[in-house]
Amino acid sequence: MIDWKLYGDRFARICNEWDKAEKDIKLAEQVSHKVVFPSIKELRYAGRRIVEALNGLNDDATDDDIQKLLQDAEYDCHRARHDAIDAATAKIAYDIEIAVSKLGYDPILRAFSKFSELRRKLNLVRAKITESRGDRENREAIYSVIEVTDFQEIVDLFAEFQENEPVMKGLAKSQRRRTALSYSIGIASLILAVITLIIA
């Protein structure tokens, strides 16, 4: 029988990756307000492989078989993190584009001065994600940098953005009222000018 203690480092890495994945999944769920099913499925696959590896330890499986199962479990945790980051950043990008199209830049910038910073950071992260698709060998390294340096900050900025949405909507509504009033005054002035010319 293989001594499971020989795999302590590998199990420790899996535990660390699992914890990071759960954190990223929770952040993504806070952003989207729904379960990130692709990430959950990846953790399920990781759990299945861990169970298979543990069963293998009791069934005299080869070292190679167990190492492969544990390596796969670690990679499943990586993919769970990647899927969570993808889901959250895609949702943030979608929501801010909808806000821009419905409210306009002026109310957004007046209510949330960090909007340009949020958009810039988001675009940088999405560019890194796109880069990772063409660089399979370094994909985990790219996502690790995103996770450590950008992801939490973008989620925090987006939370501030959402907190200010009622103000943005109020400003946009006031702006539309002023525009409608100006338009009405302009039309009334034009009609009055035409009537004056006719009378004259």
Side-chain angles (χ1 to χ4, degrees), residues 171-191:
L171 289 169
K173 191 173 180 180
S174 297
Q175 192 174 64
R176 284 194 292 269
R177 274 201 298 260
R178 284 195 304 274
T179 300
L181 181 60
S182 296
Y183 181 75
S184 299
I185 291 170
I187 293 294
S189 299
L190 180 62
I191 292 169

Side-chain angles (χ1 to χ4, degrees), residues 86 121-135 138-139 141-147 149-151:
D86 289 351
K121 289 181 181 295
L122 181 64
N123 287 339
L124 286 172
V125 164
R126 288 176 68 77
K128 289 177 186 175
I129 289 171
T130 301
E131 175 192 346
S132 78
R133 292 299 176 266
D135 190 1
N138 293 312
R139 184 173 295 174
I142 291 169
Y143 272 92
S144 291
V145 169
I146 290 171
E147 188 178 47
T149 61
D150 303 303
F151 188 45

